[in-house]
Amino acid sequence: MGLRPEGGAPATVLAVVGSVTDRTRSQLARAESALGARWADLDPAAPDPDRVLTALRAAAGEGATVLGVRVAAEPPTAAGSAPVQDPRTAARLLRALAEIAHRAVVELRPGGLYASGGDVAAAVTSALDADGFAIETEILPLAIAGHLVGGPHDGLPFATKGGLIGGPDAARDCLEHLRAACTRHTPRALSAK
């Protein structure tokens, strides 16, 4: 789709967010209002990577420069609290997020990648056949940025933070850092696996 920045065009950043904390939701809402971020929701009851990828493609086609997937909020239980995810559901969501990240990076070729949640960052780097990522800077305390190391996406700018890390603008700050970094990044040719 030609989403790599050319001639000063805005850089596209892909976000993969597995954290379901209220703090993360507030941060994503701030990124949406400040950066025009577009979010595709992954249904925790029936995760469908194809539906999410269709939404990401549409957002990219409409010119969104920050797009991503997040786990949809589950409805409150009768007692008024959010339901607790069982380990099988959490593992299924993690696999779906990793698949979405892999397919979106191959198809949409973003200039930068953001992952929220420690197991999400590990699953995403594994799905992209990276050996890991090199840390270059701390964007804010406990939010780091650098680039992927190894594999077909070696050098892709990457940032990550936990769902409970940072204030209201933490996700926005990470995404803005990546947009600046990916305008300086010259990607290797990407191959589909």
Side-chain angles (χ1 to χ4, degrees), residues 62-85:
E62 293 167 6
T65 60
V66 177
L67 47 101
V69 56
R70 65 184 173 192
V71 177
E74 293 186 82
T77 61
S81 62
V84 177
Q85 291 181 358

Side-chain angles (χ1 to χ4, degrees), residues 103-124:
R103 290 174 58 190
V105 167
V106 169
E107 292 177 34
L108 301 177
R109 300 185 62 206
L113 179 60
Y114 169 71
S116 178
D119 21 345
V120 172
V124 165

Side-chain angles (χ1 to χ4, degrees), residues 109-180:
R109 300 185 62 206
L113 179 60
Y114 169 71
S116 178
D119 21 345
V120 172
V124 165
T125 56
S126 178
L128 294 173
D129 293 324
D131 296 327
F133 58 93
I135 299 170
E136 296 167 355
T137 190
E138 185 176 55
I139 302 166
L140 52 109
L142 302 175
I144 55 175
H147 63 273
L148 294 181
V149 175
H153 311 287
D154 184 65
L156 180 68
F158 184 80
T160 186
K161 72 169 203 63
L164 294 174
I165 301 303
D169 293 321
R172 182 208 66 193
D173 292 347
C174 291
L175 293 164
E176 283 186 330
H177 177 88
L178 276 173
R179 285 203 313 187

